[in-house]
Amino acid sequence: MDFKLKLLIEELKSQGIEDKLVLKALEEIPRKLFVPKNLREEAYENHPLHIGHNQTISQPYTTAFMLQNLKLNNNDIVLEIGTGSGWSTALTAYICEKIYSIETIPELSKTAKENIKKTKLKNIKIITGDGSKGLKKYSPYDKIIVNAACSQVPNILISQLKNNGILICPVGNLYEQSLLKIVKEKNNIKTYNLGGFIFVPLVSEEYGF
Ligand code: SAM
């Protein structure tokens, strides 16, 4: 394993990342394949990096923390809003059965597809468009993950979750959000606040800013 990646994984473990499937995915899906060439040296540093179009590949800790809280299983069908570079998509795909990922910026979804081709993963479908309304066609999902800041909980996404499904999404204002974990249990919705984070804004009439 690349020495810098080994150091990053040790750092993530010290920050509380302990899910074996997530740690294995981080080892097997190199972040350096998903960052622009001129930033490859920084690929294993624990901070976000610019990927163009005013967007970022998230900080490794943030991505690992979100995936750990999704409690991914091998047979999960997942919906992701905000593909970005495709790195979190590929990490998720390494663990789950199938992931549908929606990206609003066509150039980014094209690059994400090219990045993902460099892995051997075949269980990913990238869709270009507005993901804020979810993707009814393949619903319901076991897990839904939103990688951009929402002004309110996107209830439409909860409606596309299976019973016992989990939605992770950052909700707040433009400058800071609380990362929420929402568990759908029959007619009961449980919400857990996982702490403060800063995400790029979701582009959405209803759930954006
Ligand atoms: N986790 C990603 C990665 O590993 O590279 C980074 C995601 S980036 C922080 C958030 C992404 O959400 C951006 O690429 C942005 O264009 C996208 N986005 C924002 N609003 C969206 C929407 N309504 N539908 C789909 N994607 C959206």
Side-chain angles (χ1 to χ4, degrees), residues 69 144 153 155 158 161-169 171 179-194:
N69 277 288
I144 301 181
V153 175
N155 284 326
I158 299 177
L161 269 181
K162 283 184 191 167
N163 193 21
N164 295 319
I166 300 176
L167 163 68
I168 302 261
C169 69
V171 178
L179 191 62
L180 301 184
K181 172 173 177 170
I182 295 169
V183 184
K184 182 177 180 175
E185 287 173 1
K186 289 200 177 139
N187 298 325
N188 198 7
I189 305 291
K190 285 194 179 153
T191 304
Y192 305 87
N193 188 340
L194 303 177

PDB file of all heavy atoms in Angstrom, residues 69 144 153 155 158 161-169 171 179-194:
ATOM      1  N   ASN A  69     -21.524   5.898   8.863  1.00  0.00           N
ATOM      2  CA  ASN A  69     -22.850   6.102   9.451  1.00  0.00           C
ATOM      3  C   ASN A  69     -23.986   5.561   8.589  1.00  0.00           C
ATOM      4  O   ASN A  69     -25.098   5.364   9.071  1.00  0.00           O
ATOM      5  CB  ASN A  69     -23.055   7.575   9.791  1.00  0.00           C
ATOM      6  CG  ASN A  69     -22.440   7.910  11.130  1.00  0.00           C
ATOM      7  OD1 ASN A  69     -22.955   7.503  12.172  1.00  0.00           O
ATOM      8  ND2 ASN A  69     -21.294   8.574  11.110  1.00  0.00           N
ATOM      9  N   ILE A 144     -29.600   6.419   1.279  1.00  0.00           N
ATOM     10  CA  ILE A 144     -29.468   7.598   0.411  1.00  0.00           C
ATOM     11  C   ILE A 144     -28.455   8.532   1.068  1.00  0.00           C
ATOM     12  O   ILE A 144     -28.516   8.789   2.277  1.00  0.00           O
ATOM     13  CB  ILE A 144     -30.811   8.336   0.208  1.00  0.00           C
ATOM     14  CG1 ILE A 144     -31.852   7.384  -0.427  1.00  0.00           C
ATOM     15  CG2 ILE A 144     -30.619   9.577  -0.675  1.00  0.00           C
ATOM     16  CD1 ILE A 144     -33.229   8.008  -0.695  1.00  0.00           C
ATOM     17  N   VAL A 153     -34.566  19.389   5.404  1.00  0.00           N
ATOM     18  CA  VAL A 153     -34.510  17.954   5.103  1.00  0.00           C
ATOM     19  C   VAL A 153     -35.313  17.672   3.829  1.00  0.00           C
ATOM     20  O   VAL A 153     -36.486  18.056   3.742  1.00  0.00           O
ATOM     21  CB  VAL A 153     -35.095  17.131   6.273  1.00  0.00           C
ATOM     22  CG1 VAL A 153     -35.159  15.649   5.905  1.00  0.00           C
ATOM     23  CG2 VAL A 153     -34.267  17.322   7.533  1.00  0.00           C
ATOM     24  N   ASN A 155     -37.659  15.920   2.211  1.00  0.00           N
ATOM     25  CA  ASN A 155     -38.644  14.877   2.546  1.00  0.00           C
ATOM     26  C   ASN A 155     -38.896  13.922   1.391  1.00  0.00           C
ATOM     27  O   ASN A 155     -39.210  12.758   1.582  1.00  0.00           O
ATOM     28  CB  ASN A 155     -39.959  15.523   2.991  1.00  0.00           C
ATOM     29  CG  ASN A 155     -39.827  16.065   4.396  1.00  0.00           C
ATOM     30  OD1 ASN A 155     -39.121  15.480   5.226  1.00  0.00           O
ATOM     31  ND2 ASN A 155     -40.453  17.196   4.667  1.00  0.00           N
ATOM     32  N   ILE A 158     -36.806  10.984   1.760  1.00  0.00           N
ATOM     33  CA  ILE A 158     -37.283  10.026   2.777  1.00  0.00           C
ATOM     34  C   ILE A 158     -38.348   9.121   2.163  1.00  0.00           C
ATOM     35  O   ILE A 158     -38.388   7.917   2.414  1.00  0.00           O
ATOM     36  CB  ILE A 158     -37.838  10.765   4.024  1.00  0.00           C
ATOM     37  CG1 ILE A 158     -36.729  11.603   4.669  1.00  0.00           C
ATOM     38  CG2 ILE A 158     -38.409   9.773   5.034  1.00  0.00           C
ATOM     39  CD1 ILE A 158     -37.165  12.419   5.863  1.00  0.00           C
ATOM     40  N   LEU A 161     -37.019   6.040   0.494  1.00  0.00           N
ATOM     41  CA  LEU A 161     -36.255   5.071   1.294  1.00  0.00           C
ATOM     42  C   LEU A 161     -37.105   3.851   1.592  1.00  0.00           C
ATOM     43  O   LEU A 161     -38.312   3.963   1.803  1.00  0.00           O
ATOM     44  CB  LEU A 161     -35.905   5.686   2.650  1.00  0.00           C
ATOM     45  CG  LEU A 161     -34.611   6.444   2.864  1.00  0.00           C
ATOM     46  CD1 LEU A 161     -34.553   6.905   4.324  1.00  0.00           C
ATOM     47  CD2 LEU A 161     -33.387   5.621   2.516  1.00  0.00           C
ATOM     48  N   LYS A 162     -36.438   2.689   1.705  1.00  0.00           N
ATOM     49  CA  LYS A 162     -37.134   1.480   2.173  1.00  0.00           C
ATOM     50  C   LYS A 162     -37.400   1.605   3.663  1.00  0.00           C
ATOM     51  O   LYS A 162     -36.768   2.427   4.337  1.00  0.00           O
ATOM     52  CB  LYS A 162     -36.227   0.255   1.974  1.00  0.00           C
ATOM     53  CG  LYS A 162     -36.146  -0.236   0.562  1.00  0.00           C
ATOM     54  CD  LYS A 162     -35.293  -1.502   0.504  1.00  0.00           C
ATOM     55  CE  LYS A 162     -34.996  -1.827  -0.946  1.00  0.00           C
ATOM     56  NZ  LYS A 162     -33.957  -2.835  -1.104  1.00  0.00           N
ATOM     57  N   ASN A 163     -38.256   0.745   4.163  1.00  0.00           N
ATOM     58  CA  ASN A 163     -38.443   0.650   5.599  1.00  0.00           C
ATOM     59  C   ASN A 163     -37.098   0.252   6.221  1.00  0.00           C
ATOM     60  O   ASN A 163     -36.414  -0.615   5.674  1.00  0.00           O
ATOM     61  CB  ASN A 163     -39.512  -0.404   5.880  1.00  0.00           C
ATOM     62  CG  ASN A 163     -39.976  -0.343   7.300  1.00  0.00           C
ATOM     63  OD1 ASN A 163     -39.816   0.678   7.969  1.00  0.00           O
ATOM     64  ND2 ASN A 163     -40.530  -1.439   7.783  1.00  0.00           N
ATOM     65  N   ASN A 164     -36.725   0.889   7.304  1.00  0.00           N
ATOM     66  CA  ASN A 164     -35.413   0.722   7.951  1.00  0.00           C
ATOM     67  C   ASN A 164     -34.261   1.313   7.144  1.00  0.00           C
ATOM     68  O   ASN A 164     -33.093   1.058   7.444  1.00  0.00           O
ATOM     69  CB  ASN A 164     -35.099  -0.738   8.293  1.00  0.00           C
ATOM     70  CG  ASN A 164     -36.052  -1.270   9.340  1.00  0.00           C
ATOM     71  OD1 ASN A 164     -36.381  -0.552  10.289  1.00  0.00           O
ATOM     72  ND2 ASN A 164     -36.528  -2.490   9.160  1.00  0.00           N
ATOM     73  N   GLY A 165     -34.591   2.074   6.117  1.00  0.00           N
ATOM     74  CA  GLY A 165     -33.553   2.723   5.316  1.00  0.00           C
ATOM     75  C   GLY A 165     -32.950   3.914   6.038  1.00  0.00           C
ATOM     76  O   GLY A 165     -33.530   4.446   6.990  1.00  0.00           O
ATOM     77  N   ILE A 166     -31.761   4.320   5.570  1.00  0.00           N
ATOM     78  CA  ILE A 166     -31.039   5.446   6.204  1.00  0.00           C
ATOM     79  C   ILE A 166     -30.726   6.516   5.160  1.00  0.00           C
ATOM     80  O   ILE A 166     -30.252   6.213   4.063  1.00  0.00           O
ATOM     81  CB  ILE A 166     -29.708   4.960   6.830  1.00  0.00           C
ATOM     82  CG1 ILE A 166     -29.961   3.904   7.900  1.00  0.00           C
ATOM     83  CG2 ILE A 166     -28.915   6.137   7.412  1.00  0.00           C
ATOM     84  CD1 ILE A 166     -28.682   3.299   8.495  1.00  0.00           C
ATOM     85  N   LEU A 167     -31.025   7.778   5.551  1.00  0.00           N
ATOM     86  CA  LEU A 167     -30.650   8.937   4.732  1.00  0.00           C
ATOM     87  C   LEU A 167     -29.626   9.751   5.523  1.00  0.00           C
ATOM     88  O   LEU A 167     -29.839  10.035   6.702  1.00  0.00           O
ATOM     89  CB  LEU A 167     -31.892   9.798   4.467  1.00  0.00           C
ATOM     90  CG  LEU A 167     -31.679  11.241   3.993  1.00  0.00           C
ATOM     91  CD1 LEU A 167     -31.080  11.291   2.585  1.00  0.00           C
ATOM     92  CD2 LEU A 167     -32.992  12.025   4.014  1.00  0.00           C
ATOM     93  N   ILE A 168     -28.512  10.088   4.860  1.00  0.00           N
ATOM     94  CA  ILE A 168     -27.533  10.989   5.490  1.00  0.00           C
ATOM     95  C   ILE A 168     -27.498  12.262   4.670  1.00  0.00           C
ATOM     96  O   ILE A 168     -27.271  12.190   3.441  1.00  0.00           O
ATOM     97  CB  ILE A 168     -26.114  10.370   5.500  1.00  0.00           C
ATOM     98  CG1 ILE A 168     -26.085   9.040   6.228  1.00  0.00           C
ATOM     99  CG2 ILE A 168     -25.086  11.371   6.050  1.00  0.00           C
ATOM    100  CD1 ILE A 168     -25.596   9.063   7.644  1.00  0.00           C
ATOM    101  N   CYS A 169     -27.739  13.407   5.289  1.00  0.00           N
ATOM    102  CA  CYS A 169     -27.651  14.664   4.533  1.00  0.00           C
ATOM    103  C   CYS A 169     -27.311  15.847   5.438  1.00  0.00           C
ATOM    104  O   CYS A 169     -27.730  15.891   6.597  1.00  0.00           O
ATOM    105  CB  CYS A 169     -28.929  14.919   3.743  1.00  0.00           C
ATOM    106  SG  CYS A 169     -30.340  15.296   4.729  1.00  0.00           S
ATOM    107  N   VAL A 171     -27.766  19.539   6.650  1.00  0.00           N
ATOM    108  CA  VAL A 171     -28.861  20.518   6.620  1.00  0.00           C
ATOM    109  C   VAL A 171     -28.482  21.723   7.486  1.00  0.00           C
ATOM    110  O   VAL A 171     -28.015  21.559   8.605  1.00  0.00           O
ATOM    111  CB  VAL A 171     -30.173  19.884   7.155  1.00  0.00           C
ATOM    112  CG1 VAL A 171     -31.300  20.913   7.172  1.00  0.00           C
ATOM    113  CG2 VAL A 171     -30.580  18.687   6.298  1.00  0.00           C
ATOM    114  N   LEU A 179     -24.824  17.522  10.058  1.00  0.00           N
ATOM    115  CA  LEU A 179     -24.977  16.302   9.268  1.00  0.00           C
ATOM    116  C   LEU A 179     -26.044  15.449   9.958  1.00  0.00           C
ATOM    117  O   LEU A 179     -25.880  15.067  11.117  1.00  0.00           O
ATOM    118  CB  LEU A 179     -23.637  15.557   9.196  1.00  0.00           C
ATOM    119  CG  LEU A 179     -23.583  14.410   8.205  1.00  0.00           C
ATOM    120  CD1 LEU A 179     -23.816  14.904   6.780  1.00  0.00           C
ATOM    121  CD2 LEU A 179     -22.238  13.705   8.284  1.00  0.00           C
ATOM    122  N   LEU A 180     -27.148  15.221   9.263  1.00  0.00           N
ATOM    123  CA  LEU A 180     -28.256  14.479   9.867  1.00  0.00           C
ATOM    124  C   LEU A 180     -28.293  13.051   9.349  1.00  0.00           C
ATOM    125  O   LEU A 180     -28.055  12.794   8.161  1.00  0.00           O
ATOM    126  CB  LEU A 180     -29.591  15.161   9.559  1.00  0.00           C
ATOM    127  CG  LEU A 180     -29.755  16.604  10.034  1.00  0.00           C
ATOM    128  CD1 LEU A 180     -31.174  17.100   9.748  1.00  0.00           C
ATOM    129  CD2 LEU A 180     -29.451  16.743  11.531  1.00  0.00           C
ATOM    130  N   LYS A 181     -28.595  12.149  10.288  1.00  0.00           N
ATOM    131  CA  LYS A 181     -28.834  10.750   9.918  1.00  0.00           C
ATOM    132  C   LYS A 181     -30.307  10.492  10.203  1.00  0.00           C
ATOM    133  O   LYS A 181     -30.756  10.652  11.348  1.00  0.00           O
ATOM    134  CB  LYS A 181     -27.951   9.845  10.774  1.00  0.00           C
ATOM    135  CG  LYS A 181     -28.236   8.366  10.624  1.00  0.00           C
ATOM    136  CD  LYS A 181     -27.193   7.583  11.393  1.00  0.00           C
ATOM    137  CE  LYS A 181     -27.473   6.103  11.346  1.00  0.00           C
ATOM    138  NZ  LYS A 181     -26.344   5.332  11.872  1.00  0.00           N
ATOM    139  N   ILE A 182     -31.044  10.131   9.159  1.00  0.00           N
ATOM    140  CA  ILE A 182     -32.487   9.951   9.308  1.00  0.00           C
ATOM    141  C   ILE A 182     -32.818   8.488   9.038  1.00  0.00           C
ATOM    142  O   ILE A 182     -32.459   7.946   7.982  1.00  0.00           O
ATOM    143  CB  ILE A 182     -33.229  10.893   8.335  1.00  0.00           C
ATOM    144  CG1 ILE A 182     -32.931  12.342   8.783  1.00  0.00           C
ATOM    145  CG2 ILE A 182     -34.726  10.621   8.297  1.00  0.00           C
ATOM    146  CD1 ILE A 182     -33.347  13.393   7.820  1.00  0.00           C
ATOM    147  N   VAL A 183     -33.448   7.863  10.023  1.00  0.00           N
ATOM    148  CA  VAL A 183     -33.775   6.445   9.894  1.00  0.00           C
ATOM    149  C   VAL A 183     -35.287   6.323   9.772  1.00  0.00           C
ATOM    150  O   VAL A 183     -36.032   6.869  10.586  1.00  0.00           O
ATOM    151  CB  VAL A 183     -33.263   5.645  11.121  1.00  0.00           C
ATOM    152  CG1 VAL A 183     -33.510   4.156  10.927  1.00  0.00           C
ATOM    153  CG2 VAL A 183     -31.777   5.900  11.357  1.00  0.00           C
ATOM    154  N   LYS A 184     -35.718   5.620   8.711  1.00  0.00           N
ATOM    155  CA  LYS A 184     -37.156   5.476   8.467  1.00  0.00           C
ATOM    156  C   LYS A 184     -37.616   4.134   9.038  1.00  0.00           C
ATOM    157  O   LYS A 184     -37.214   3.087   8.545  1.00  0.00           O
ATOM    158  CB  LYS A 184     -37.396   5.516   6.954  1.00  0.00           C
ATOM    159  CG  LYS A 184     -38.832   5.421   6.527  1.00  0.00           C
ATOM    160  CD  LYS A 184     -38.877   5.560   5.013  1.00  0.00           C
ATOM    161  CE  LYS A 184     -40.257   5.488   4.458  1.00  0.00           C
ATOM    162  NZ  LYS A 184     -40.275   5.748   3.014  1.00  0.00           N
ATOM    163  N   GLU A 185     -38.415   4.196  10.082  1.00  0.00           N
ATOM    164  CA  GLU A 185     -38.898   2.953  10.702  1.00  0.00           C
ATOM    165  C   GLU A 185     -40.414   2.930  10.633  1.00  0.00           C
ATOM    166  O   GLU A 185     -41.067   3.627  11.391  1.00  0.00           O
ATOM    167  CB  GLU A 185     -38.466   2.897  12.171  1.00  0.00           C
ATOM    168  CG  GLU A 185     -36.997   2.617  12.353  1.00  0.00           C
ATOM    169  CD  GLU A 185     -36.587   2.738  13.818  1.00  0.00           C
ATOM    170  OE1 GLU A 185     -37.446   3.011  14.677  1.00  0.00           O
ATOM    171  OE2 GLU A 185     -35.395   2.572  14.083  1.00  0.00           O
ATOM    172  N   LYS A 186     -40.966   2.135   9.737  1.00  0.00           N
ATOM    173  CA  LYS A 186     -42.414   2.085   9.504  1.00  0.00           C
ATOM    174  C   LYS A 186     -42.969   3.509   9.424  1.00  0.00           C
ATOM    175  O   LYS A 186     -42.579   4.253   8.542  1.00  0.00           O
ATOM    176  CB  LYS A 186     -43.102   1.238  10.569  1.00  0.00           C
ATOM    177  CG  LYS A 186     -42.763  -0.230  10.377  1.00  0.00           C
ATOM    178  CD  LYS A 186     -43.735  -1.139  11.048  1.00  0.00           C
ATOM    179  CE  LYS A 186     -43.341  -2.569  10.714  1.00  0.00           C
ATOM    180  NZ  LYS A 186     -43.444  -3.484  11.815  1.00  0.00           N
ATOM    181  N   ASN A 187     -43.830   3.912  10.356  1.00  0.00           N
ATOM    182  CA  ASN A 187     -44.378   5.269  10.278  1.00  0.00           C
ATOM    183  C   ASN A 187     -43.599   6.256  11.123  1.00  0.00           C
ATOM    184  O   ASN A 187     -44.017   7.380  11.338  1.00  0.00           O
ATOM    185  CB  ASN A 187     -45.856   5.273  10.709  1.00  0.00           C
ATOM    186  CG  ASN A 187     -46.669   4.420   9.783  1.00  0.00           C
ATOM    187  OD1 ASN A 187     -46.381   4.364   8.587  1.00  0.00           O
ATOM    188  ND2 ASN A 187     -47.641   3.722  10.338  1.00  0.00           N
ATOM    189  N   ASN A 188     -42.455   5.802  11.594  1.00  0.00           N
ATOM    190  CA  ASN A 188     -41.679   6.612  12.524  1.00  0.00           C
ATOM    191  C   ASN A 188     -40.373   7.062  11.854  1.00  0.00           C
ATOM    192  O   ASN A 188     -39.672   6.253  11.260  1.00  0.00           O
ATOM    193  CB  ASN A 188     -41.379   5.720  13.738  1.00  0.00           C
ATOM    194  CG  ASN A 188     -40.984   6.533  14.933  1.00  0.00           C
ATOM    195  OD1 ASN A 188     -41.064   7.752  14.895  1.00  0.00           O
ATOM    196  ND2 ASN A 188     -40.533   5.855  15.971  1.00  0.00           N
ATOM    197  N   ILE A 189     -40.074   8.361  11.940  1.00  0.00           N
ATOM    198  CA  ILE A 189     -38.823   8.881  11.379  1.00  0.00           C
ATOM    199  C   ILE A 189     -37.945   9.322  12.545  1.00  0.00           C
ATOM    200  O   ILE A 189     -38.354  10.176  13.333  1.00  0.00           O
ATOM    201  CB  ILE A 189     -39.095  10.118  10.471  1.00  0.00           C
ATOM    202  CG1 ILE A 189     -40.115   9.802   9.376  1.00  0.00           C
ATOM    203  CG2 ILE A 189     -37.805  10.676   9.881  1.00  0.00           C
ATOM    204  CD1 ILE A 189     -39.645   8.865   8.314  1.00  0.00           C
ATOM    205  N   LYS A 190     -36.758   8.718  12.661  1.00  0.00           N
ATOM    206  CA  LYS A 190     -35.850   9.121  13.747  1.00  0.00           C
ATOM    207  C   LYS A 190     -34.712   9.936  13.161  1.00  0.00           C
ATOM    208  O   LYS A 190     -34.119   9.532  12.146  1.00  0.00           O
ATOM    209  CB  LYS A 190     -35.274   7.895  14.441  1.00  0.00           C
ATOM    210  CG  LYS A 190     -36.264   7.222  15.344  1.00  0.00           C
ATOM    211  CD  LYS A 190     -35.574   6.229  16.254  1.00  0.00           C
ATOM    212  CE  LYS A 190     -36.600   5.591  17.173  1.00  0.00           C
ATOM    213  NZ  LYS A 190     -36.199   4.252  17.599  1.00  0.00           N
ATOM    214  N   THR A 191     -34.388  11.075  13.791  1.00  0.00           N
ATOM    215  CA  THR A 191     -33.324  11.948  13.286  1.00  0.00           C
ATOM    216  C   THR A 191     -32.209  12.071  14.317  1.00  0.00           C
ATOM    217  O   THR A 191     -32.473  12.318  15.493  1.00  0.00           O
ATOM    218  CB  THR A 191     -33.899  13.354  12.983  1.00  0.00           C
ATOM    219  OG1 THR A 191     -34.977  13.197  12.062  1.00  0.00           O
ATOM    220  CG2 THR A 191     -32.854  14.265  12.353  1.00  0.00           C
ATOM    221  N   TYR A 192     -30.980  11.845  13.870  1.00  0.00           N
ATOM    222  CA  TYR A 192     -29.812  11.966  14.743  1.00  0.00           C
ATOM    223  C   TYR A 192     -28.893  13.045  14.171  1.00  0.00           C
ATOM    224  O   TYR A 192     -28.640  13.057  12.956  1.00  0.00           O
ATOM    225  CB  TYR A 192     -29.040  10.643  14.802  1.00  0.00           C
ATOM    226  CG  TYR A 192     -29.890   9.471  15.214  1.00  0.00           C
ATOM    227  CD1 TYR A 192     -30.624   8.742  14.268  1.00  0.00           C
ATOM    228  CD2 TYR A 192     -29.969   9.091  16.551  1.00  0.00           C
ATOM    229  CE1 TYR A 192     -31.423   7.665  14.642  1.00  0.00           C
ATOM    230  CE2 TYR A 192     -30.765   8.008  16.933  1.00  0.00           C
ATOM    231  CZ  TYR A 192     -31.490   7.305  15.969  1.00  0.00           C
ATOM    232  OH  TYR A 192     -32.278   6.246  16.349  1.00  0.00           O
ATOM    233  N   ASN A 193     -28.373  13.931  15.034  1.00  0.00           N
ATOM    234  CA  ASN A 193     -27.431  14.969  14.587  1.00  0.00           C
ATOM    235  C   ASN A 193     -26.005  14.442  14.783  1.00  0.00           C
ATOM    236  O   ASN A 193     -25.577  14.183  15.906  1.00  0.00           O
ATOM    237  CB  ASN A 193     -27.661  16.242  15.409  1.00  0.00           C
ATOM    238  CG  ASN A 193     -26.849  17.397  14.871  1.00  0.00           C
ATOM    239  OD1 ASN A 193     -25.863  17.211  14.150  1.00  0.00           O
ATOM    240  ND2 ASN A 193     -27.244  18.609  15.223  1.00  0.00           N
ATOM    241  N   LEU A 194     -25.276  14.298  13.667  1.00  0.00           N
ATOM    242  CA  LEU A 194     -23.927  13.719  13.744  1.00  0.00           C
ATOM    243  C   LEU A 194     -22.841  14.784  13.906  1.00  0.00           C
ATOM    244  O   LEU A 194     -21.656  14.468  13.911  1.00  0.00           O
ATOM    245  CB  LEU A 194     -23.648  12.893  12.483  1.00  0.00           C
ATOM    246  CG  LEU A 194     -24.640  11.767  12.172  1.00  0.00           C
ATOM    247  CD1 LEU A 194     -24.274  11.080  10.863  1.00  0.00           C
ATOM    248  CD2 LEU A 194     -24.669  10.745  13.311  1.00  0.00           C
TER     249      LEU A 194
END
